[in-house]
Amino acid sequence: MKRVYKGDFGYIKHGRKVAVIRTVVCLAITVGIFLVGLLIHHSQKSVFSIIAALGCLPTGWSAVNMIMLLKAKECSDSDHKTILEHAGSLLIHYDHIITSYDKNFYVNASTVLDKNICCYSADKNLDTLDCEKHIKKMVAASGYSSYSIKVFDDLGKFCDRLDQLEKLRADKNIDPFKIEDDWVPGTVQTPAAVLLSISL
């Protein structure tokens, strides 16, 4: 199975498959260890039971991760195709699951250019203002407090904004891919990388 990295189109779909397989394997190993101990010692009171109990920790973590990914709303193929038609040379990241203390925000696509953070979500239950406030708070914590943040729930309006940003990118001769490639580990993350880091 080819790996899909965070921010790439298909990340959630790929993550679901990985999480399901990982959870099933972890569960099978944990139950298998417990049953081997039961068969050998004819009792639950053995080192095998302790190892199986410890095996519940990664199994539980994997199950929670799997449930979150199963609930997540990924960018559809049709939306992805439409976005690509307007992306130009902008850097687009896909399939963000942005978590806050009390809710999750499913952002299907995002781009960052010249102090502008622009996102799109097809999730009809998403509170765009709440999402904008949360993103603003998180990127401000990394030192990017003067950024304009807009979350669209309408694909057409998002694509119109992409067209505007692509014109701005061309006028100012900005290469967003080079900005990411030139980032030096150990220094403050780029705004696009911050957006990825606050996503699952």
Side-chain angles (χ1 to χ4, degrees), residues 14 28 40 44 47 53 65 88 96-97 113 125 137 163 177 185 190:
H14 172 76
I40 293 172
Q44 297 177 16
V47 71
N65 185 255
H96 301 277
I97 306 171
L113 184 82
N125 297 318
K137 177 183 170 187
D163 293 338
F177 292 91
T190 65

Side-chain angles (χ1 to χ4, degrees), residues 16-69:
R16 275 194 200 116
K17 291 176 186 173
V18 171
V20 168
I21 293 167
R22 184 182 58 225
T23 303
V24 169
V25 169
C26 285
L27 185 61
I29 291 170
T30 301
V31 171
I33 290 170
F34 177 75
L35 292 176
V36 166
L38 210 56
L39 286 170
I40 293 172
H41 298 286
H42 304 290
S43 169
Q44 297 177 16
K45 296 177 182 178
S46 71
V47 71
F48 289 94
S49 295
I50 296 168
I51 294 168
L54 291 173
C56 289
L57 296 173
T59 304
W61 170 83
S62 186
V64 169
N65 185 255
M66 178 186 72
I67 290 165
M68 289 201 68
L69 286 166

Side-chain angles (χ1 to χ4, degrees), residues 73-179:
K73 299 170 176 70
E74 74 270 15
C75 185
S76 68
D77 291 333
S78 60
D79 284 357
H80 176 240
K81 184 180 176 185
T82 303
I83 290 165
L84 283 180
E85 290 168 0
H86 296 267
S89 295
L90 296 170
L91 173 63
I92 308 288
H93 285 140
Y94 298 92
D95 290 348
H96 301 277
I97 306 171
I98 301 173
T99 59
S100 68
Y101 288 113
D102 54 351
K103 62 178 75 173
N104 296 327
F105 303 106
Y106 302 115
V107 173
N108 300 116
S110 71
T111 192
V112 178
L113 184 82
D114 195 34
K115 295 199 172 185
N116 293 284
I117 295 176
C118 180
C119 303
Y120 165 67
S121 176
D123 180 8
K124 298 307 175 190
N125 297 318
L126 181 86
D127 185 327
T128 55
L129 290 177
D130 250 10
C131 187
E132 287 170 6
K133 285 177 189 173
H134 182 68
I135 292 171
K136 192 174 190 74
K137 177 183 170 187
M138 299 307 287
V139 297
S142 295
Y144 301 107
S145 56
S146 59
Y147 272 60
S148 166
I149 296 158
K150 180 65 181 170
V151 177
F152 293 92
D153 56 9
D154 181 288
L155 183 60
K157 290 179 181 176
F158 175 70
C159 288
D160 288 343
R161 185 62 179 139
L162 289 182
D163 293 338
Q164 293 167 3
L165 290 175
E166 171 57 14
K167 184 178 184 308
L168 177 67
R169 186 209 62 75
D171 291 345
K172 291 194 171 186
N173 195 28
I174 301 169
D175 185 345
F177 292 91
K178 188 174 187 305
I179 291 170

